Amino acid sequence: MPPASRPRRRLRRLLALATDTWLARAYLLVVAAALTFFLGAWYVGPDPGLAGFYPFLATAPLGVLALLASLPAEQSSLTWLAPSIFAVGTAVAGLCNAALLGRLAHGRGARGPRPA
């Protein structure tokens, strides 16, 4: 197999895990709603306030990395870029969390019910 197709296969496997189960799909819907609220409050609303808290909370373990990635842009003259970096980082964190949820759901279904 050529080396160029290996990363595509891994990405396809990760996306399949993130979208195969209803639990992972529901989680992705929550993350999408939180991101939509954040971007709407940031770009359309008069004051975003703590709108970034919802996507951060929805992607709790990996959402910290999205926040840390957007901090350098916030502290420099590129403050307009910080919400976009945070949104992309949060979306990636949400996909990784959904893949983990999908993997856990597949692992639970493979074992089947336990005898009483």
Side-chain angles (χ1 to χ4, degrees):
M1 176 173 298
S5 66
R6 288 183 193 145
R8 271 191 238 145
R9 181 173 282 171
R10 286 184 190 146
L11 179 64
R12 203 174 296 150
R13 190 178 310 143
L14 178 71
L15 289 176
L17 280 175
T19 57
D20 275 352
T21 63
W22 286 105
L23 180 66
R25 289 178 193 163
Y27 175 74
L28 284 176
L29 185 65
V30 168
V31 171
L35 275 175
T36 303
F37 176 75
F38 166 70
L39 291 174
W42 188 273
Y43 288 115
V44 178
D47 181 28
L50 293 174
F53 179 71
Y54 298 116
F56 176 74
L57 188 64
T59 60
L62 294 177
V64 175
L65 297 176
L67 181 66
L68 292 176
S70 68
L71 283 179
E74 187 71 37
Q75 301 302 323
S76 70
S77 62
L78 301 172
T79 56
W80 58 272
L81 190 59
S84 300
I85 293 172
F86 179 71
V88 168
T90 303
V92 170
L95 275 174
C96 290
N97 285 344
L100 179 64
L101 281 173
R103 176 69 181 127
L104 290 174
H106 278 294
R108 177 74 178 146
R111 281 186 280 184
R114 295 182 184 174

